Amino acid sequence: MTKKSSALAVLMGATLLLGACSDGSAEAGKTEVDDVIKVVWYPNESGSDMTSSRDEIGAAIEKATGKEVEHQLTTDYAIAIETLVNNNADMAFMGAQGYIEAKNGNDAIEPLVVPTGESGTLDDAIYHSWLAVNVDDQEKFKKDGEFSLDTLEQKKMSFVSNSSTSGFVVPSSTIISHFAEQSGYEDLVAEDLMEGGPLFSQVLFGNSHQGAAVNLLNDSAEVAAFCDTCVDNYVEVTEGEANKVGSVYKVKDDAAEPFNSVAGSEFALMAVTPVLNAPFVANMEVLGQEDYDALVELFTSDEIANNKEIFVPEDSGEPGLFFKSGDERFAPVEDAWFEPIRELSK
């Protein structure tokens, strides 16, 4: 790992946006606060296996605000971001990069809360960005017996979306930092990693973390970037420890779509980088301050922290959006907390 990429990893331990005007404000005009709270979800959280978690969160919001909740499911990151920016949704659950893009498009977008780490604080509020390879191909990605980013040259790569924090922004920054010191790659930028050449032979986008993983496991790609939390419902560690380079994961035999088509397939981790947790965010123009305050109070309450439909016990074997193995809960967060991701995406 280069000094720069190492610094990025430490920093992490701490694009084009559709529908925005040139002055950085959304085209949509001032919108009246109404009696419906629309929550837009990324593709990663729009699957049928996440229905119970979404519904439980929606029911809690309805009880706290007295308003109806409508869930807006998506198949594309850009659509989810555009929906929030253009005042067509009150709330969203999105990665740090998506929040930054939304904030750039409409200054009325504000963070609500993020899930904490096991400590119950923001100190360990991180998840992990992976670069993974098929287990039978892992030796192709090693030098002197160790995984090396050098081996990525002219490989078929799958990212999630260029608006994905852990599925593009973080891994692309790591890759660029590594190759920047090598002859021929001094001017490598993120846009160069969005298509085949100069580094990769081909680039795919899975449109979700699940989609990127399946691109790897069905041999459409040789390497894929995706995160631990978005595939946790579908895979299990068979060799090594969770989130450690070299560890092997296997798709569960009873995995839900889209992993049912690659059940039993195995992959190895060639790179692991910590990433700031994803926030719930609000569009203040359509949500309003009163509901915003009520939702911060709701999400940070013990009632939500102890709700097993929202924070699913990690050893339960049940699917969920959030898992609890320690004191995880939601904590309020300010815009400045996302500055490390903002710096990476510049």
Side-chain angles (χ1 to χ4, degrees):
M1 179 178 286
T2 65
K3 290 182 179 180
K4 184 175 181 182
S5 60
S6 177
L8 286 171
V10 172
L11 181 63
M12 292 309 303
T15 87
L16 299 176
L17 179 63
L18 300 176
C21 299
S22 59
D23 63 357
S25 60
E27 290 183 1
K30 181 73 173 179
T31 302
E32 294 294 328
V33 174
D34 59 22
D35 293 329
V36 177
I37 294 178
K38 297 177 181 178
V39 184
V40 64
W41 299 92
Y42 269 1
N44 314 307
E45 291 78 38
S46 290
S48 59
D49 56 325
M50 302 292 182
T51 300
S52 61
S53 292
R54 293 192 304 263
D55 287 349
E56 189 70 14
I57 290 171
I61 292 172
E62 289 182 341
K63 182 179 178 181
T65 63
K67 296 184 176 182
E68 178 186 355
V69 169
E70 290 183 4
H71 297 287
Q72 299 184 348
L73 310 183
T74 65
T75 58
D76 186 276
Y77 274 57
I79 291 173
I81 295 170
E82 182 182 16
T83 298
L84 186 69
V85 168
N86 288 342
N87 293 348
N88 292 317
D90 300 72
M91 292 175 55
F93 179 64
M94 51 178 42
Q97 177 64 19
Y99 160 67
I100 290 165
E101 292 186 14
K103 182 73 171 176
N104 289 342
N106 185 342
D107 196 50
I109 309 299
E110 295 289 344
L112 272 161
V113 294
V114 296
T116 70
E118 290 189 7
S119 70
T121 72
L122 296 181
D123 292 343
D124 55 351
I126 58 172
Y127 62 113
H128 298 87
S129 173
W130 291 345
L131 286 178
V133 299
N134 281 307
V135 69
D136 292 339
D137 296 332
Q138 60 181 309
E139 294 305 318
K140 296 194 307 185
F141 296 90
K142 294 180 179 180
K143 292 179 65 175
D144 299 323
E146 301 290 336
F147 281 106
S148 171
L149 297 182
D150 289 343
T151 61
L152 294 179
E153 286 186 283
Q154 297 307 302
K155 296 297 193 296
K156 292 187 294 183
M157 177 75 199
S158 180
F159 292 110
V160 174
S161 161
N162 64 350
S163 294
S164 172
T165 310
S166 56
F168 183 75
V169 174
V170 169
S172 66
S173 296
T174 299
I175 292 167
I176 289 169
S177 296
H178 178 82
F179 280 95
E181 298 179 0
Q182 298 187 24
S183 176
Y185 294 112
E186 298 90 342
D187 299 322
L188 194 68
V189 295
E191 287 75 11
D192 295 328
L193 304 189
M194 295 182 189
E195 57 186 22
L199 182 60
F200 300 120
S201 63
Q202 183 182 0
V203 175
L204 305 174
F205 286 94
N207 296 320
S208 68
H209 289 264
Q210 295 91 330
V214 170
N215 279 344
L216 171 69
L217 297 173
N218 67 16
D219 294 323
S220 296
E222 297 172 273
V223 188
F226 50 96
C227 79
D228 59 337
T229 56
C230 287
V231 302
D232 191 53
N233 289 319
Y234 314 95
V235 304
E236 57 191 357
V237 179
T238 56
E239 292 181 30
E241 300 178 25
N243 292 309
K244 298 295 184 182
V245 171
S247 292
V248 175
Y249 286 73
K250 179 181 178 181
V251 177
K252 298 175 182 177
D253 291 335
D254 60 350
E257 293 183 353
F259 286 90
N260 59 323
S261 64
V262 291
S265 298
E266 293 183 305
F267 60 87
L269 304 184
M270 71 172 295
V272 178
T273 307
V275 185
L276 296 178
N277 273 354
F280 276 98
V281 304
N283 182 325
M284 300 299 289
E285 288 185 357
V286 291
L287 182 67
Q289 188 67 48
E290 182 177 352
D291 287 331
Y292 177 90
D293 293 340
L295 291 179
V296 171
E297 182 177 357
L298 167 70
F299 275 94
T300 58
S301 67
D302 290 341
E303 178 184 358
I304 294 296
N306 296 324
N307 187 321
K308 294 183 179 180
E309 295 294 326
I310 295 176
F311 282 98
V312 179
E314 192 172 57
D315 59 359
S316 69
E318 296 297 320
L321 287 174
F322 309 100
F323 292 92
K324 190 159 191 157
S325 60
D327 294 325
E328 286 99 336
R329 60 187 301 123
F330 292 116
V333 68
E334 297 181 353
D335 176 82
W337 192 70
F338 300 97
E339 199 60 32
I341 303 297
R342 188 173 278 118
E343 289 297 319
L344 286 182
S345 60
K346 286 182 178 179

